[in-house]
Amino acid sequence: MKPFLRQQLQRYTERLAELDFLLSREDIMADMAQYLGLAREHAQVTQIAGRWQRHQQREADLGAAQDLLADPDMAAMAQEEIESTQAELRKLEDELQRLLLPQDPDDLRNAFLEIRAGTGGDESALFAGDLLRMYTRYAERAGWRAELVSESPSELGGYKEVVLRIVGESAFGTLRFESGGHRVQRVPVTEAQGRIHTSACTVAVLAEPDEAQAVQINPAELRIDTFRASGAGGQHINKTDSAVRITHIPTGIVAECQDDRSQHRNKAKALQVLAARIQEKERSERATKDAALRKGLIGSGDRSDRIRTYNFPQGRMTDHRINLTLYKLTMIMDGDLDEVFAALKAAHEAEQLAELEAAQA
């Protein structure tokens, strides 16, 4: 294990002793907010310190087993112990490295997923519909709930724009690297001569804000318009102006919702989306400043980034950020994204670890 990691882990052992002392003090137990904060930290630190203690114990076991190699009667048993101990140490080291990585509190939140047709006209809108199905099917596999917030259908099917709310544990943390440009290469249904066309859509994934920590929006800075929903919804939806569009005047950011028959509930959902977009704008501005110092492996998440290509004639998907190519496009378009997300997460963790090591240099 690298020296800088050992130094980090030793600090957790020391911090655990500090937290044990603090949590035993009567004045801290009397302050519930402070006590709960320290208790949460104690749970996290205990997990890391416990795994580090196990790692140290297994290192000692490894040293004892290596000493036994000199005894002919014990050599075979010692070799077996060495191999099993080394395997556990590798597993523990990987686990500890992940535990040391900084966690984004937004990763546990629900997410808003926005898909917009780009270059390619009708074919781009059809591809937006395919992406919507892909993410919806993945949400079903993950046990999440996908709620339609707003849609703008195209004439030949698909969507000019569609927004989903994904409700589920770690939805944002899982989907966050989907933000960017998604390119498709295939023969469109509108192509009479069988030529392959290239079209594109943009995807944006936003963390649903915590109501207690959401950006404060001044009602005087909002323009609220109502209109009739454009999607399917029966006779009622055609007769009432239940859909809501909200514009944040200072930034020009717009959000709308037309999923519910209730104008009040649509307004509440649109305000949630608006807050998420304003929060994402602030996050993006911070990321842009950070990107001036370094270029992230996963990319800035900017919607103009071309992050992935779906090539139907070859049956392949390529993620350009991590040079990942998989020849199982049919399965991927049906929501089988676990391998893709695992590779992106591993690449992100490797980048975080490199940054952590650089900071210690």
Side-chain angles (χ1 to χ4, degrees), residues 29-311:
M29 286 189 284
D31 184 342
M32 187 54 65
Q34 186 178 15
Y35 178 82
L36 289 175
L38 289 172
R40 282 192 294 269
E41 183 185 356
H42 186 274
Q44 180 186 16
V45 171
T46 298
Q47 181 186 20
I48 297 174
R51 302 313 288 159
W52 173 231
Q53 183 178 14
R54 175 65 178 174
H55 187 279
Q56 290 176 303
Q57 178 59 54
R58 296 303 280 155
E59 280 189 321
D61 294 343
L62 178 62
Q66 288 171 333
D67 289 341
L68 288 175
L69 284 175
D71 185 341
D73 296 332
M74 302 292 291
M77 185 179 70
Q79 185 59 42
E80 185 177 334
E81 174 67 12
I82 287 171
E83 291 174 2
S84 65
T85 303
Q86 287 176 332
E88 184 178 352
L89 282 170
R90 286 192 294 270
K91 183 178 178 181
L92 284 167
E93 185 170 341
D94 289 341
E95 187 178 347
L96 284 166
Q97 286 181 358
R98 287 194 299 273
L99 288 171
L100 283 177
L101 297 176
Q103 301 297 312
D104 187 334
D106 285 344
D107 281 354
L108 299 176
R109 300 198 185 286
N110 300 330
F112 289 109
L113 190 147
E114 307 176 351
I115 305 171
R116 292 180 176 81
T119 56
D122 291 329
E123 167 62 7
S124 178
L126 292 171
F127 180 51
D130 293 337
L131 290 177
L132 173 66
R133 180 180 181 276
M134 179 181 78
Y135 290 123
T136 302
R137 293 300 298 272
Y138 179 80
E140 292 172 359
R141 291 168 181 256
W144 298 341
R145 187 172 77 252
E147 303 173 353
L148 184 67
V149 174
S150 67
E151 61 177 337
S152 178
S154 67
E155 294 179 1
L156 296 181
Y159 298 91
K160 298 174 185 175
E161 176 180 314
V162 61
V163 179
L164 285 179
R165 177 175 180 248
I166 308 292
V167 180
E169 185 178 353
S170 301
F172 177 71
T174 303
L175 297 170
R176 62 185 304 170
F177 299 123
E178 294 303 288
S179 291
H182 293 242
R183 184 176 67 171
V184 62
Q185 295 172 329
R186 64 183 177 187
V187 178
V189 294
T190 55
E191 169 58 54
Q193 300 180 16
R195 293 175 298 185
I196 296 173
H197 287 227
T198 298
S199 304
C201 289
T202 57
V203 173
V205 181
L206 319 175
E208 182 179 70
D210 181 349
E211 291 185 7
Q213 300 176 351
V215 293
Q216 298 300 310
I217 301 175
N218 184 350
E221 296 177 341
L222 300 178
R223 185 176 73 245
I224 301 176
D225 302 305
T226 59
F227 60 99
R228 293 184 183 180
S230 59
Q235 293 180 344
H236 173 88
I237 222 164
N238 293 326
K239 292 180 179 178
T240 60
D241 291 345
S242 60
V244 175
R245 180 184 296 111
I246 303 177
T247 303
H248 185 237
I249 297 171
T251 61
I253 294 175
V254 179
E256 64 180 52
C257 182
Q258 54 182 302
D259 183 50
D260 204 290
R261 289 186 174 187
S262 164
Q263 186 182 110
H264 177 74
R265 287 191 291 269
N266 280 336
K267 180 181 176 182
K269 285 185 179 180
L271 280 170
Q272 277 190 311
V273 175
L274 185 71
R277 288 178 178 171
I278 292 173
Q279 180 175 284
E280 179 61 23
K281 181 176 183 293
E282 294 174 355
R283 177 202 293 268
S284 179
E285 288 171 352
R286 291 194 301 270
T288 299
K289 292 178 182 178
D290 292 342
L293 301 176
R294 60 173 178 79
K295 175 63 178 175
L297 175 66
I298 303 300
S300 67
D302 187 276
R303 301 178 195 184
S304 63
D305 288 349
R306 188 195 71 181
I307 65 168
R308 193 174 295 156
T309 295
Y310 305 77
N311 187 299

Side-chain angles (χ1 to χ4, degrees), residues 10-26:
Q10 189 56 41
R11 291 193 188 112
Y12 278 88
T13 302
E14 297 163 2
R15 179 58 177 166
L16 183 60
E18 293 173 1
L19 289 168
D20 286 337
F21 169 72
L22 290 171
L23 289 171
S24 69
R25 285 172 41 177
E26 291 186 6

